[in-house]
Structure formats: C-alpha cells, structure tokens
C-alpha cells in the first residue's frame, strides 16, 4: 500500500490474507467503483445483483462455517469489509447486514431447520436478509423496544414497527426482535407474511447507495418454527451487533484510506501560488496526521482481528474501542481530505464527500460514539452511566 503504508504494516498479513484482499479490491474496483457515484446520486443500488456477485465470491456470511459459508478468518473478513468500504460504506453495509446481522442471528440462535431453510440461499446471495432491532422511538435503548410478540395457540403474533433497517425493502427474510412475556425474543420472518410491510426511507443525505427501510408489523402471524429457539433476552441481538461492529472497525479504515489516497494524489498535482498544494507545510501537516491515524486504525483493527482469531471472540468493550476510534478517526480524515480538495471536494466527481457523508451513518449505527464511550467508561469505572 505504499506510500500510505509507512510502517510496512502489510508485512503483518499472510500471503493468503493479501490474496483475499486483492480479490476483494478487484471486485470493488470492477463492480462497484465505476457505478457507485451514480447509485449514490440516484439513491438506489442494485442490491440483488450485487448480492449474487458477492455470494459467488463467498463474501456473504464469509466468517461463518457450514451452510455454504466460506469459514474465513476474522482478519480475512475484516480485510473484505475494508476493501468494500473503500468503494462505499453503503455497499459494505449490504454485506455486513446480510452476513454479520441476519445470517449470524440465524446461524447462532436459529434451529437446524431455520439454518437449512435460509443460510445456503443467503450465502449465495439468492436470498436477502435484514435485521430489525431499532424502532422509531427506541434506538440506543433497545431494551425498551415497543414491538410485541404474543402467543395465540401454537402461533405467535407480532405487532409494532422497526426503523432504519438496512436491506429491508428488498429482503426475503427479516430477523425481527420483539418483547414477549418471557423477555426479548427473535423471529425469522418471511417478508411475504401477511401484515409485514417494508417501505423505502427516502431523502437520506448519507448512505445513499444502500437500501434502508421502515418495517411495519401489523398482526403478523407466525408459527412457532419461525422463532429463533436459542435467542433468549437482549444478549442475542447484542451478540449480532458485536459481530457487525467488528466489520465496521475495518471498513471505516477502508473509506478513510480511499479519501487519503485521493487527497494525496490531488495535493501533488493541484497547483496554487505556482506550486503543488502538497508542498505547503500546512497541507503536509494534514497529510502526515491523517497517515498516522490511518496506520494506527489499521493496526488496531488487525490486533482485534488476531485476538478474535486466537481467542474465538472479542469482549464487547474491545469492540467498542475499535468502533469508537476507527469511525471517529475515519470521519475526521474524510473531512480533512475534503478541505484539501477545495471546491472539488464537494463534487461527486470525487469520492471524498460521499465517504464523509456515509461515515455520518456509520458513526451512528451499530452503537453511536456516545454509547461506545459509555461501554468503555463502564468497564473502566465499574459504574453504569447509561441511564
Ligand atoms: C443508514 C442507517 C442504517 C441502519 N441500519 C440498521 C439496521 O439494519 N438494523 C437496525 O436495527 N438498526 C439500524 N440503524 C439504526 C441505528 O442503529 C440507530 O440509528 C442507532 O442505534 C441510534 O439510534 P437512534 O437513531 O434512535 O438515536 P438515539 O438513540 O435517539 O440517539 C440520539 C443521540 O442521543 C445520544 N444518546 C442516546 N442515549 C444516550 C445516553 N444514555 N447517554 C448519552 N447520549 C445518549 C446518542 O448517542 C445520539 O447522539 C440504521 C441507522 C442508519 C442511519
């Protein structure tokens, strides 16, 4: 990655990891980059087409085992997220939601029958999944969710609504979390179930190359076999968030890298006052500081990936450290790169403003920065400052 890889961090990757990264970079370059500015401008993305493409390459549920999943290491999965998000955070979100949220929920908490029914098609990209936890009135505080699940004979009835759900308008199956008498429970809901509806959320100024929806659940009747039998309590959906946050730790650095490489190129070719703007000390200070944060963020992601590959899992506060730092630094890098591009920085001809705008969503979803600060603060002090 010269010249951005000042520390030769690449030498910490195995040949196999570098090969996977190269493959993902090629896919992003060939299938996403040529079109993504247009998708972003139009606010529409060919989710199904991309899912089939990514499915063929084993990128969906890539870190899961069995049921057609690739069984890749955490580091390899992270590198894939990084390369996809270097093209666009919305496209990485498609893959994260499919693999780390919807598929992981079924893989971890579902019955054998549910796994057989959904996972192979989802791994192939033939079936799209979404994950409905957030509600219009309950985002950071999902414990207070208003969606209800009640028993009716052998069936369950779901009533409520979910908000800001990635992939919902195109999903074949929605993992829905609801409150029942026994606590939080989860369901794999086929999208053609009567009473289930998902409408596209319009007028987004961020993550426009991603399909985001609002789900309504109006007396949705489901058999017992739709309930995720192993999911009991909020720890089940939270475990899925820990999975998805891991991919974001890497992905955000991909978006930042793309911004910095564009800004570096621009700074060495754009001239003002008779010389390249990269020759001015103030520009070099920006570039140097950003290169530092990019390398630190990558090292942090790699450390967490190695830890996860050796220990099998990360603790929530470790994931919070990564998500808080890397998204915060990525958005700072994107904004600073935007200044280096001057007026061109606001143009869709360059990816920088698109990345900066996308990262606003990434900063908010999968736990806002404030929520991750509270997770870390609680770990440090032993005191719960959430409420
Ligand atoms: C593009 C996009 C895609 C998304 N995709 C999904 C998806 O696929 N599935 C899904 O379930 N959700 C999804 N979300 C929802 C996302 O996870 C929530 O928006 C997020 O959790 C924040 O919830 P909220 O928007 O209700 O904000 P709120 O929870 O209302 O927070 C508003 C502000 O208050 C702060 N705040 C809240 N509580 C505290 C506290 N105790 N202390 C200090 N500050 C606090 C927050 O940090 C934030 O700054 C998506 C969101 C977006 C924007």
């Amino acid at each position: 990655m010269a010249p951005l890889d000042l520390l030769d961090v690449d030498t910490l990757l195995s040949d196999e990891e570098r090969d996977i990264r190269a493959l993902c970079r090629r896919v992003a370059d060939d299938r996403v980059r040529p079109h993504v500015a247009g998708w972003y401008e139009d606010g529409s993305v060919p989710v199904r087409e991309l899912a089939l493409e990514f499915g063929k390459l084993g990128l969906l549920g890539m870190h899961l085992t069995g049921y057609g999943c690739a069984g890749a290491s955490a580091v390899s999965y992270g590198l894939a997220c990084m390369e996809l998000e270097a093209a666009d955070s919305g496209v990485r979100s498609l893959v994260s939601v499919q693999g780390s949220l919807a598929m992981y929920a079924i893989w971890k908490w579902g019955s054998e029958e549910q796994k057989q029914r959904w996972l192979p098609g989802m791994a192939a990209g033939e079936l799209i999944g979404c994950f409905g936890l957030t509600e219009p009135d309950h985002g950071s505080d999902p414990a207070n969710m208003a969606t209800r699940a009640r028993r009716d004979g052998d069936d369950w009835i779901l009533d409520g609504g979910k908000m800001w759900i990635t992939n919902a308008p195109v999903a074949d199956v929605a993992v829905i979390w609801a409150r029942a008498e026994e606590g939080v429970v989860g369901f794999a809901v086929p999208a053609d179930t009567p009473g289930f509806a998902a409408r596209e959320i319009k007028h987004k100024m961020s993550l426009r190359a991603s399909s985001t929806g609002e789900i309504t659940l109006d007396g949705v009747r489901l058999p017992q076999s739709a309930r995720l039998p192993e999911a009991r309590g909020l720890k089940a959906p939270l475990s899925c968030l820990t999975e998805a946050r891991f991919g974001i730790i890497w992905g955000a650095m991909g978006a930042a890298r793309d911004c910095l490489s564009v800004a570096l190129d621009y700074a060495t070719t754009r001239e003002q006052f008779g010389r390249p703007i990269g020759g001015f000390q103030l520009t070099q200070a920006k570039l140097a500081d950003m290169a530092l944060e990019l390398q630190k963020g990558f090292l942090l992601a790699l450390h967490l990936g190695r830890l996860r590959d050796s220990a099998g899992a990360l603790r929530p506060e470790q994931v919070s450290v990564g998500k808080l730092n890397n998204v915060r630094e990525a958005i700072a890098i994107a904004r600073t790169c935007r200044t280096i591009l001057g007026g061109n920085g606001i143009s869709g001809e360059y990816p920088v403003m698109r990345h900066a705008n996308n990262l606003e969503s990434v900063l908010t979803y999968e736990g806002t920065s404030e929520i991750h600060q509270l997770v870390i603060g609680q770990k440090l002090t032993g005191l719960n400052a959430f409420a």
Side-chain angles (χ1 to χ4, degrees):
M1 247 289 126
L4 291 182
D5 187 8
L6 299 167
L7 300 175
D8 295 338
V9 173
D10 261 19
T11 58
L12 301 177
L13 299 176
S14 69
D15 288 345
E16 191 191 342
E17 287 163 349
R18 273 192 287 266
D19 287 347
I20 289 178
R21 183 179 62 179
L23 172 78
C24 296
R25 191 172 296 178
R26 212 164 41 243
V27 178
D29 284 349
D30 293 348
R31 309 299 301 173
V32 182
R33 274 183 203 278
H35 314 288
V36 71
W39 297 336
Y40 191 91
E41 200 153 338
D42 297 346
S44 82
V45 59
V47 174
R48 286 200 174 271
E49 216 175 281
L50 285 175
L52 285 171
E53 200 85 46
F54 296 155
K56 263 188 230 141
L57 295 165
L59 300 181
L60 304 176
M62 176 179 176
H63 60 306
L64 306 178
T65 49
Y67 310 96
C69 303
S73 69
V75 169
S76 297
Y77 174 55
L79 289 166
C81 289
M82 185 176 246
E83 293 311 317
L84 293 174
E85 193 148 355
D88 192 84
S89 303
V91 173
R92 195 271 306 142
S93 299
L94 186 171
V95 170
S96 290
V97 168
Q98 176 87 348
S100 289
L101 290 178
M103 290 175 72
Y104 179 80
I106 295 170
W107 183 84
K108 174 81 180 166
W109 306 109
S111 67
E112 187 54 36
E113 183 200 333
Q114 289 163 345
K115 292 177 197 184
Q116 299 283 357
R117 174 172 180 193
W118 298 112
L119 293 181
M122 292 172 86
E126 289 155 5
L127 298 174
I128 308 288
C130 68
F131 181 91
L133 180 64
T134 305
E135 301 183 347
D137 295 329
H138 306 278
S140 301
D141 182 20
N144 277 316
M145 67 177 70
T147 298
R148 289 285 178 266
R150 65 183 161 83
R151 286 179 194 276
D152 186 41
D154 289 342
D155 292 343
W156 287 88
I157 310 285
L158 297 191
D159 282 295
K162 299 288 174 182
M163 188 69 185
W164 297 116
I165 308 305
T166 303
N167 293 348
V170 284
D172 300 287
V173 58
V175 171
I176 296 290
W177 302 97
R179 181 163 292 286
E181 252 175 30
E182 55 264 62
V184 172
V185 291
F187 297 86
V189 184
D192 57 5
T193 311
F196 178 98
R199 71 161 186 95
E200 184 89 36
I201 296 177
K202 302 274 189 198
H203 312 301
K204 288 183 301 177
M205 299 303 207
S206 169
L207 224 71
R208 291 179 56 77
S210 172
S211 174
T212 316
E214 176 174 9
I215 292 175
T216 51
L217 302 150
D218 185 9
V220 175
R221 179 178 288 276
L222 295 165
Q224 173 67 19
S225 61
R227 179 175 166 194
L228 303 175
E230 308 301 329
R232 291 185 202 96
L234 201 61
K235 80 171 199 308
L238 295 187
S239 74
C240 306
L241 298 185
T242 300
E243 289 293 299
R245 289 167 180 168
F246 175 78
I248 292 172
I249 293 168
W250 291 79
M253 286 296 107
R257 186 193 74 206
D258 197 50
C259 291
L260 186 50
S261 65
V262 169
L264 194 54
D265 187 47
Y266 194 86
T268 48
T269 50
R270 169 79 176 174
E271 293 194 1
Q272 288 295 290
F273 300 97
R275 58 194 174 108
I277 57 170
F280 298 123
Q281 292 179 1
L282 290 176
T283 309
Q284 289 197 4
K286 290 179 187 175
L287 293 169
D289 286 350
M290 291 191 287
L292 249 60
E293 291 307 328
L294 188 68
Q295 293 254 276
K296 284 152 67 180
F298 184 75
L299 284 168
L300 174 56
L302 188 58
H303 168 67
L304 291 171
R306 296 274 183 247
L307 206 56
R308 192 176 138 165
D309 278 330
S310 59
L314 293 173
R315 295 195 303 272
E317 73 275 10
Q318 294 176 324
V319 173
S320 287
V321 169
K323 207 260 178 182
L324 174 62
N325 184 78
N326 283 11
V327 181
R328 190 162 64 183
E329 295 306 330
I331 205 166
I333 288 173
R335 288 172 181 159
T336 305
C337 288
R338 219 281 314 143
T339 68
I340 291 176
L341 268 69
N344 281 326
I346 70 146
S347 168
E349 299 281 321
Y350 293 88
V352 176
M353 186 88 169
R354 175 166 52 79
H355 282 307
N357 285 353
N358 280 339
L359 287 165
E360 294 289 345
S361 288
V362 181
L363 195 72
T364 286
Y365 68 25
E366 298 292 343
T368 64
S369 290
E370 293 80 5
I371 293 301
H372 291 296
Q373 286 173 317
L374 295 180
V375 171
I376 297 165
Q378 183 175 7
K379 186 68 192 173
L380 291 173
T381 63
L383 302 170
N384 178 351
F386 280 87

